[in-house]
mmCIF file of all heavy atoms in Angstrom:
data_model
loop_
_atom_site.group_PDB
_atom_site.id
_atom_site.type_symbol
_atom_site.label_atom_id
_atom_site.label_comp_id
_atom_site.label_asym_id
_atom_site.label_seq_id
_atom_site.Cartn_x
_atom_site.Cartn_y
_atom_site.Cartn_z
ATOM 1 N N ARG A 33 -35.443 -52.808 99.149
ATOM 2 C CA ARG A 33 -35.355 -53.998 99.996
ATOM 3 C C ARG A 33 -35.490 -53.661 101.477
ATOM 4 O O ARG A 33 -35.975 -54.472 102.264
ATOM 5 C CB ARG A 33 -34.029 -54.718 99.753
ATOM 6 C CG ARG A 33 -33.906 -55.316 98.355
ATOM 7 C CD ARG A 33 -32.578 -56.025 98.166
ATOM 8 N NE ARG A 33 -32.455 -57.167 99.067
ATOM 9 C CZ ARG A 33 -31.373 -57.949 99.128
ATOM 10 N NH1 ARG A 33 -30.328 -57.694 98.345
ATOM 11 N NH2 ARG A 33 -31.333 -58.965 99.982
ATOM 12 N N ARG A 34 -35.082 -52.452 101.843
ATOM 13 C CA ARG A 34 -35.077 -52.090 103.257
ATOM 14 C C ARG A 34 -35.973 -50.913 103.615
ATOM 15 O O ARG A 34 -36.297 -50.725 104.790
ATOM 16 C CB ARG A 34 -33.643 -51.767 103.704
ATOM 17 C CG ARG A 34 -32.686 -52.936 103.616
ATOM 18 C CD ARG A 34 -31.335 -52.555 104.187
ATOM 19 N NE ARG A 34 -30.401 -53.668 104.149
ATOM 20 C CZ ARG A 34 -29.168 -53.619 104.619
ATOM 21 N NH1 ARG A 34 -28.722 -52.485 105.148
ATOM 22 N NH2 ARG A 34 -28.375 -54.671 104.558
ATOM 23 N N HIS A 35 -36.349 -50.126 102.607
ATOM 24 C CA HIS A 35 -37.034 -48.878 102.923
ATOM 25 C C HIS A 35 -38.218 -48.639 101.977
ATOM 26 O O HIS A 35 -38.285 -49.191 100.882
ATOM 27 C CB HIS A 35 -36.079 -47.686 102.818
ATOM 28 C CG HIS A 35 -34.871 -47.789 103.683
ATOM 29 N ND1 HIS A 35 -34.907 -47.612 105.051
ATOM 30 C CD2 HIS A 35 -33.576 -48.061 103.381
ATOM 31 C CE1 HIS A 35 -33.705 -47.764 105.545
ATOM 32 N NE2 HIS A 35 -32.876 -48.037 104.558
ATOM 33 N N LEU A 36 -39.110 -47.789 102.446
ATOM 34 C CA LEU A 36 -40.153 -47.222 101.605
ATOM 35 C C LEU A 36 -39.762 -45.772 101.346
ATOM 36 O O LEU A 36 -39.693 -44.955 102.274
ATOM 37 C CB LEU A 36 -41.513 -47.293 102.298
ATOM 38 C CG LEU A 36 -42.717 -46.807 101.486
ATOM 39 C CD1 LEU A 36 -42.930 -47.689 100.261
ATOM 40 C CD2 LEU A 36 -43.971 -46.786 102.354
ATOM 41 N N VAL A 37 -39.449 -45.442 100.104
ATOM 42 C CA VAL A 37 -38.929 -44.120 99.746
ATOM 43 C C VAL A 37 -40.050 -43.265 99.167
ATOM 44 O O VAL A 37 -40.726 -43.673 98.217
ATOM 45 C CB VAL A 37 -37.786 -44.245 98.709
ATOM 46 C CG1 VAL A 37 -37.275 -42.853 98.320
ATOM 47 C CG2 VAL A 37 -36.654 -45.090 99.264
ATOM 48 N N THR A 38 -40.255 -42.108 99.750
ATOM 49 C CA THR A 38 -41.236 -41.160 99.227
ATOM 50 C C THR A 38 -40.551 -40.239 98.221
ATOM 51 O O THR A 38 -39.654 -39.477 98.585
ATOM 52 C CB THR A 38 -41.862 -40.329 100.365
ATOM 53 O OG1 THR A 38 -42.518 -41.210 101.278
ATOM 54 C CG2 THR A 38 -42.882 -39.340 99.806
ATOM 55 N N ALA A 39 -40.964 -40.328 96.959
ATOM 56 C CA ALA A 39 -40.341 -39.520 95.905
ATOM 57 C C ALA A 39 -40.935 -38.117 95.838
ATOM 58 O O ALA A 39 -40.207 -37.130 95.687
ATOM 59 C CB ALA A 39 -40.500 -40.223 94.552
ATOM 60 N N THR A 40 -42.271 -38.025 95.928
ATOM 61 C CA THR A 40 -42.943 -36.726 95.943
ATOM 62 C C THR A 40 -44.019 -36.739 97.014
ATOM 63 O O THR A 40 -44.531 -37.807 97.389
ATOM 64 C CB THR A 40 -43.600 -36.388 94.586
ATOM 65 O OG1 THR A 40 -44.698 -37.296 94.353
ATOM 66 C CG2 THR A 40 -42.612 -36.492 93.441
ATOM 67 N N TYR A 41 -44.379 -35.551 97.504
ATOM 68 C CA TYR A 41 -45.373 -35.464 98.566
ATOM 69 C C TYR A 41 -46.415 -34.402 98.221
ATOM 70 O O TYR A 41 -46.114 -33.210 98.151
ATOM 71 C CB TYR A 41 -44.703 -35.133 99.897
ATOM 72 C CG TYR A 41 -45.664 -35.104 101.067
ATOM 73 C CD1 TYR A 41 -46.236 -36.277 101.548
ATOM 74 C CD2 TYR A 41 -46.004 -33.908 101.679
ATOM 75 C CE1 TYR A 41 -47.126 -36.262 102.614
ATOM 76 C CE2 TYR A 41 -46.889 -33.873 102.749
ATOM 77 C CZ TYR A 41 -47.451 -35.059 103.208
ATOM 78 O OH TYR A 41 -48.331 -35.024 104.267
ATOM 79 N N ARG A 42 -47.614 -34.869 97.944
ATOM 80 C CA ARG A 42 -48.783 -34.007 97.721
ATOM 81 C C ARG A 42 -48.501 -32.874 96.729
ATOM 82 O O ARG A 42 -48.699 -31.689 97.023
ATOM 83 C CB ARG A 42 -49.302 -33.464 99.049
ATOM 84 C CG ARG A 42 -49.840 -34.574 99.957
ATOM 85 C CD ARG A 42 -50.428 -34.038 101.243
ATOM 86 N NE ARG A 42 -50.961 -35.130 102.060
ATOM 87 C CZ ARG A 42 -51.479 -34.997 103.283
ATOM 88 N NH1 ARG A 42 -51.525 -33.787 103.842
ATOM 89 N NH2 ARG A 42 -51.937 -36.026 103.945
ATOM 90 N N VAL A 43 -48.073 -33.261 95.564
ATOM 91 C CA VAL A 43 -47.756 -32.286 94.506
ATOM 92 C C VAL A 43 -49.008 -31.951 93.708
ATOM 93 O O VAL A 43 -49.769 -32.841 93.308
ATOM 94 C CB VAL A 43 -46.664 -32.846 93.571
ATOM 95 C CG1 VAL A 43 -46.488 -31.954 92.344
ATOM 96 C CG2 VAL A 43 -45.345 -32.982 94.331
ATOM 97 N N ASP A 44 -49.222 -30.658 93.478
ATOM 98 C CA ASP A 44 -50.344 -30.163 92.676
ATOM 99 C C ASP A 44 -49.828 -29.300 91.537
ATOM 100 O O ASP A 44 -48.979 -28.428 91.760
ATOM 101 C CB ASP A 44 -51.287 -29.293 93.518
ATOM 102 C CG ASP A 44 -51.955 -30.038 94.645
ATOM 103 O OD1 ASP A 44 -52.881 -30.811 94.394
ATOM 104 O OD2 ASP A 44 -51.539 -29.825 95.812
ATOM 105 N N PHE A 45 -50.334 -29.511 90.335
ATOM 106 C CA PHE A 45 -50.136 -28.567 89.239
ATOM 107 C C PHE A 45 -51.107 -28.894 88.112
ATOM 108 O O PHE A 45 -51.665 -29.996 88.053
ATOM 109 C CB PHE A 45 -48.689 -28.552 88.722
ATOM 110 C CG PHE A 45 -48.215 -29.833 88.082
ATOM 111 C CD1 PHE A 45 -48.365 -30.050 86.718
ATOM 112 C CD2 PHE A 45 -47.585 -30.819 88.842
ATOM 113 C CE1 PHE A 45 -47.903 -31.217 86.118
ATOM 114 C CE2 PHE A 45 -47.121 -31.979 88.265
ATOM 115 C CZ PHE A 45 -47.284 -32.185 86.897
ATOM 116 N N GLN A 46 -51.325 -27.918 87.250
ATOM 117 C CA GLN A 46 -52.200 -28.077 86.089
ATOM 118 C C GLN A 46 -51.485 -27.595 84.845
ATOM 119 O O GLN A 46 -50.747 -26.611 84.874
ATOM 120 C CB GLN A 46 -53.498 -27.280 86.272
ATOM 121 C CG GLN A 46 -54.361 -27.770 87.435
ATOM 122 C CD GLN A 46 -55.629 -26.936 87.594
ATOM 123 O OE1 GLN A 46 -55.660 -25.741 87.278
ATOM 124 N NE2 GLN A 46 -56.684 -27.566 88.086
ATOM 125 N N VAL A 47 -51.721 -28.308 83.759
ATOM 126 C CA VAL A 47 -51.139 -27.942 82.466
ATOM 127 C C VAL A 47 -52.281 -27.744 81.474
ATOM 128 O O VAL A 47 -53.183 -28.593 81.374
ATOM 129 C CB VAL A 47 -50.181 -29.039 81.948
ATOM 130 C CG1 VAL A 47 -49.582 -28.624 80.603
ATOM 131 C CG2 VAL A 47 -49.077 -29.310 82.970
ATOM 132 N N PHE A 48 -52.233 -26.630 80.757
ATOM 133 C CA PHE A 48 -53.260 -26.307 79.777
ATOM 134 C C PHE A 48 -52.762 -26.601 78.367
ATOM 135 O O PHE A 48 -51.561 -26.709 78.125
ATOM 136 C CB PHE A 48 -53.679 -24.843 79.915
ATOM 137 C CG PHE A 48 -54.396 -24.546 81.206
ATOM 138 C CD1 PHE A 48 -53.683 -24.319 82.375
ATOM 139 C CD2 PHE A 48 -55.780 -24.518 81.254
ATOM 140 C CE1 PHE A 48 -54.331 -24.062 83.576
ATOM 141 C CE2 PHE A 48 -56.443 -24.260 82.445
ATOM 142 C CZ PHE A 48 -55.724 -24.038 83.614
ATOM 143 N N GLN A 49 -53.702 -26.725 77.448
ATOM 144 C CA GLN A 49 -53.342 -27.031 76.066
ATOM 145 C C GLN A 49 -52.362 -26.006 75.516
ATOM 146 O O GLN A 49 -52.474 -24.810 75.767
ATOM 147 C CB GLN A 49 -54.595 -27.070 75.181
ATOM 148 C CG GLN A 49 -55.425 -28.321 75.365
ATOM 149 C CD GLN A 49 -56.640 -28.337 74.458
ATOM 150 O OE1 GLN A 49 -56.980 -27.335 73.837
ATOM 151 N NE2 GLN A 49 -57.306 -29.473 74.381
ATOM 152 N N ALA A 50 -51.378 -26.527 74.775
ATOM 153 C CA ALA A 50 -50.372 -25.725 74.072
ATOM 154 C C ALA A 50 -49.375 -25.052 75.008
ATOM 155 O O ALA A 50 -48.649 -24.158 74.588
ATOM 156 C CB ALA A 50 -51.017 -24.690 73.146
ATOM 157 N N GLU A 51 -49.326 -25.485 76.269
ATOM 158 C CA GLU A 51 -48.312 -24.966 77.187
ATOM 159 C C GLU A 51 -47.010 -25.741 77.051
ATOM 160 O O GLU A 51 -46.985 -26.909 76.675
ATOM 161 C CB GLU A 51 -48.792 -25.072 78.637
ATOM 162 C CG GLU A 51 -49.702 -23.962 79.065
ATOM 163 C CD GLU A 51 -49.760 -23.850 80.579
ATOM 164 O OE1 GLU A 51 -50.188 -24.805 81.243
ATOM 165 O OE2 GLU A 51 -49.373 -22.778 81.100
ATOM 166 N N ARG A 52 -45.930 -25.076 77.424
ATOM 167 C CA ARG A 52 -44.624 -25.717 77.597
ATOM 168 C C ARG A 52 -44.331 -25.657 79.095
ATOM 169 O O ARG A 52 -43.813 -24.666 79.606
ATOM 170 C CB ARG A 52 -43.552 -24.982 76.791
ATOM 171 C CG ARG A 52 -43.908 -24.813 75.309
ATOM 172 C CD ARG A 52 -42.778 -24.154 74.521
ATOM 173 N NE ARG A 52 -42.296 -22.937 75.125
ATOM 174 C CZ ARG A 52 -42.839 -21.733 74.947
ATOM 175 N NH1 ARG A 52 -43.911 -21.592 74.177
ATOM 176 N NH2 ARG A 52 -42.312 -20.652 75.527
ATOM 177 N N TYR A 53 -44.711 -26.717 79.785
ATOM 178 C CA TYR A 53 -44.684 -26.721 81.248
ATOM 179 C C TYR A 53 -43.459 -27.483 81.721
ATOM 180 O O TYR A 53 -43.202 -28.608 81.294
ATOM 181 C CB TYR A 53 -45.961 -27.370 81.782
ATOM 182 C CG TYR A 53 -46.232 -27.063 83.243
ATOM 183 C CD1 TYR A 53 -47.035 -25.983 83.607
ATOM 184 C CD2 TYR A 53 -45.694 -27.848 84.249
ATOM 185 C CE1 TYR A 53 -47.286 -25.693 84.942
ATOM 186 C CE2 TYR A 53 -45.938 -27.573 85.582
ATOM 187 C CZ TYR A 53 -46.740 -26.500 85.929
ATOM 188 O OH TYR A 53 -46.989 -26.219 87.248
ATOM 189 N N ILE A 54 -42.715 -26.879 82.642
ATOM 190 C CA ILE A 54 -41.436 -27.431 83.089
ATOM 191 C C ILE A 54 -41.526 -27.921 84.529
ATOM 192 O O ILE A 54 -42.047 -27.212 85.402
ATOM 193 C CB ILE A 54 -40.323 -26.358 83.003
ATOM 194 C CG1 ILE A 54 -40.266 -25.718 81.604
ATOM 195 C CG2 ILE A 54 -38.977 -26.966 83.397
ATOM 196 C CD1 ILE A 54 -39.880 -26.663 80.506
ATOM 197 N N LEU A 55 -40.999 -29.123 84.777
ATOM 198 C CA LEU A 55 -40.765 -29.610 86.134
ATOM 199 C C LEU A 55 -39.275 -29.440 86.408
ATOM 200 O O LEU A 55 -38.439 -30.086 85.778
ATOM 201 C CB LEU A 55 -41.167 -31.081 86.262
ATOM 202 C CG LEU A 55 -42.629 -31.409 85.955
ATOM 203 C CD1 LEU A 55 -42.873 -32.905 86.118
ATOM 204 C CD2 LEU A 55 -43.586 -30.610 86.842
ATOM 205 N N LEU A 56 -38.948 -28.552 87.338
ATOM 206 C CA LEU A 56 -37.558 -28.188 87.609
ATOM 207 C C LEU A 56 -37.222 -28.463 89.063
ATOM 208 O O LEU A 56 -37.987 -28.111 89.972
ATOM 209 C CB LEU A 56 -37.343 -26.702 87.312
ATOM 210 C CG LEU A 56 -35.991 -26.095 87.705
ATOM 211 C CD1 LEU A 56 -34.858 -26.681 86.864
ATOM 212 C CD2 LEU A 56 -36.025 -24.575 87.557
ATOM 213 N N GLY A 57 -36.067 -29.074 89.277
ATOM 214 C CA GLY A 57 -35.625 -29.302 90.643
ATOM 215 C C GLY A 57 -34.330 -30.079 90.665
ATOM 216 O O GLY A 57 -33.872 -30.576 89.629
ATOM 217 N N PRO A 58 -33.714 -30.210 91.834
ATOM 218 C CA PRO A 58 -32.441 -30.929 91.942
ATOM 219 C C PRO A 58 -32.631 -32.424 91.743
ATOM 220 O O PRO A 58 -33.755 -32.943 91.779
ATOM 221 C CB PRO A 58 -31.993 -30.614 93.370
ATOM 222 C CG PRO A 58 -33.263 -30.357 94.123
ATOM 223 C CD PRO A 58 -34.180 -29.690 93.136
ATOM 224 N N SER A 59 -31.535 -33.140 91.548
ATOM 225 C CA SER A 59 -31.592 -34.585 91.407
ATOM 226 C C SER A 59 -32.227 -35.198 92.649
ATOM 227 O O SER A 59 -31.945 -34.784 93.774
ATOM 228 C CB SER A 59 -30.178 -35.155 91.218
ATOM 229 O OG SER A 59 -29.612 -34.683 90.014
ATOM 230 N N GLY A 60 -33.114 -36.165 92.419
ATOM 231 C CA GLY A 60 -33.762 -36.847 93.526
ATOM 232 C C GLY A 60 -35.029 -36.197 94.030
ATOM 233 O O GLY A 60 -35.610 -36.662 95.011
ATOM 234 N N CYS A 61 -35.511 -35.135 93.356
ATOM 235 C CA CYS A 61 -36.710 -34.438 93.839
ATOM 236 C C CYS A 61 -38.004 -35.076 93.333
ATOM 237 O O CYS A 61 -39.092 -34.632 93.691
ATOM 238 C CB CYS A 61 -36.675 -32.963 93.442
ATOM 239 S SG CYS A 61 -36.944 -32.657 91.685
ATOM 240 N N GLY A 62 -37.898 -36.098 92.489
ATOM 241 C CA GLY A 62 -39.088 -36.800 92.036
ATOM 242 C C GLY A 62 -39.694 -36.292 90.737
ATOM 243 O O GLY A 62 -40.772 -36.731 90.342
ATOM 244 N N LYS A 63 -38.982 -35.412 90.027
ATOM 245 C CA LYS A 63 -39.559 -34.858 88.804
ATOM 246 C C LYS A 63 -39.729 -35.914 87.717
ATOM 247 O O LYS A 63 -40.755 -35.948 87.020
ATOM 248 C CB LYS A 63 -38.736 -33.676 88.296
ATOM 249 C CG LYS A 63 -37.253 -33.915 88.098
ATOM 250 C CD LYS A 63 -36.516 -32.616 87.834
ATOM 251 C CE LYS A 63 -35.035 -32.844 87.566
ATOM 252 N NZ LYS A 63 -34.321 -33.409 88.755
ATOM 253 N N SER A 64 -38.746 -36.806 87.555
ATOM 254 C CA SER A 64 -38.891 -37.885 86.573
ATOM 255 C C SER A 64 -39.956 -38.885 87.016
ATOM 256 O O SER A 64 -40.677 -39.451 86.180
ATOM 257 C CB SER A 64 -37.554 -38.606 86.357
ATOM 258 O OG SER A 64 -36.635 -37.751 85.695
ATOM 259 N N SER A 65 -40.084 -39.089 88.320
ATOM 260 C CA SER A 65 -41.148 -39.957 88.837
ATOM 261 C C SER A 65 -42.520 -39.379 88.499
ATOM 262 O O SER A 65 -43.439 -40.112 88.130
ATOM 263 C CB SER A 65 -41.007 -40.127 90.349
ATOM 264 O OG SER A 65 -39.796 -40.771 90.682
ATOM 265 N N LEU A 66 -42.664 -38.062 88.624
ATOM 266 C CA LEU A 66 -43.925 -37.423 88.247
ATOM 267 C C LEU A 66 -44.230 -37.634 86.771
ATOM 268 O O LEU A 66 -45.370 -37.900 86.389
ATOM 269 C CB LEU A 66 -43.869 -35.929 88.567
ATOM 270 C CG LEU A 66 -44.082 -35.536 90.025
ATOM 271 C CD1 LEU A 66 -43.699 -34.076 90.245
ATOM 272 C CD2 LEU A 66 -45.534 -35.767 90.444
ATOM 273 N N LEU A 67 -43.200 -37.513 85.938
ATOM 274 C CA LEU A 67 -43.393 -37.709 84.505
ATOM 275 C C LEU A 67 -43.842 -39.145 84.223
ATOM 276 O O LEU A 67 -44.745 -39.376 83.406
ATOM 277 C CB LEU A 67 -42.099 -37.387 83.755
ATOM 278 C CG LEU A 67 -42.260 -37.031 82.283
ATOM 279 C CD1 LEU A 67 -42.906 -35.656 82.145
ATOM 280 C CD2 LEU A 67 -40.920 -37.040 81.559
ATOM 281 N N LYS A 68 -43.215 -40.116 84.894
ATOM 282 C CA LYS A 68 -43.614 -41.513 84.726
ATOM 283 C C LYS A 68 -45.053 -41.737 85.185
ATOM 284 O O LYS A 68 -45.800 -42.510 84.586
ATOM 285 C CB LYS A 68 -42.670 -42.425 85.503
ATOM 286 C CG LYS A 68 -41.265 -42.494 84.934
ATOM 287 C CD LYS A 68 -40.357 -43.336 85.822
ATOM 288 C CE LYS A 68 -38.927 -43.340 85.297
ATOM 289 N NZ LYS A 68 -38.012 -44.089 86.201
ATOM 290 N N ALA A 69 -45.447 -41.051 86.263
ATOM 291 C CA ALA A 69 -46.811 -41.186 86.746
ATOM 292 C C ALA A 69 -47.813 -40.606 85.748
ATOM 293 O O ALA A 69 -48.872 -41.193 85.499
ATOM 294 C CB ALA A 69 -46.953 -40.499 88.105
ATOM 295 N N VAL A 70 -47.486 -39.465 85.152
ATOM 296 C CA VAL A 70 -48.350 -38.903 84.107
ATOM 297 C C VAL A 70 -48.418 -39.856 82.921
ATOM 298 O O VAL A 70 -49.474 -40.021 82.296
ATOM 299 C CB VAL A 70 -47.846 -37.512 83.666
ATOM 300 C CG1 VAL A 70 -48.629 -37.010 82.457
ATOM 301 C CG2 VAL A 70 -47.947 -36.514 84.818
ATOM 302 N N GLY A 71 -47.290 -40.512 82.622
ATOM 303 C CA GLY A 71 -47.267 -41.489 81.538
ATOM 304 C C GLY A 71 -48.033 -42.760 81.849
ATOM 305 O O GLY A 71 -48.291 -43.562 80.951
ATOM 306 N N GLY A 72 -48.403 -42.965 83.120
ATOM 307 C CA GLY A 72 -49.153 -44.153 83.499
ATOM 308 C C GLY A 72 -48.286 -45.317 83.911
ATOM 309 O O GLY A 72 -48.793 -46.427 84.120
ATOM 310 N N PHE A 73 -46.977 -45.086 84.071
ATOM 311 C CA PHE A 73 -46.043 -46.152 84.430
ATOM 312 C C PHE A 73 -45.874 -46.298 85.942
ATOM 313 O O PHE A 73 -45.275 -47.270 86.411
ATOM 314 C CB PHE A 73 -44.682 -45.893 83.795
ATOM 315 C CG PHE A 73 -44.719 -45.839 82.296
ATOM 316 C CD1 PHE A 73 -44.676 -44.615 81.637
ATOM 317 C CD2 PHE A 73 -44.820 -46.995 81.542
ATOM 318 C CE1 PHE A 73 -44.712 -44.556 80.246
ATOM 319 C CE2 PHE A 73 -44.855 -46.946 80.159
ATOM 320 C CZ PHE A 73 -44.806 -45.730 79.509
ATOM 321 N N LEU A 74 -46.372 -45.346 86.708
ATOM 322 C CA LEU A 74 -46.229 -45.346 88.156
ATOM 323 C C LEU A 74 -47.521 -44.792 88.750
ATOM 324 O O LEU A 74 -47.987 -43.729 88.339
ATOM 325 C CB LEU A 74 -45.033 -44.475 88.556
ATOM 326 C CG LEU A 74 -44.690 -44.355 90.034
ATOM 327 C CD1 LEU A 74 -44.283 -45.707 90.595
ATOM 328 C CD2 LEU A 74 -43.555 -43.339 90.219
#
Side-chain angles (χ1 to χ4, degrees):
R33 294 180 64 181
R34 297 185 178 182
H35 303 286
L36 184 64
V37 179
T38 300
T40 67
Y41 183 70
R42 295 183 178 176
V43 171
D44 297 285
F45 65 90
Q46 296 179 330
V47 180
F48 293 82
Q49 285 181 349
E51 278 199 298
R52 306 184 309 275
Y53 197 93
I54 307 295
L55 300 180
L56 172 67
S59 296
C61 72
K63 53 190 183 296
S64 291
S65 297
L66 281 168
L67 202 71
K68 291 176 183 176
V70 172
F73 300 103
L74 181 64

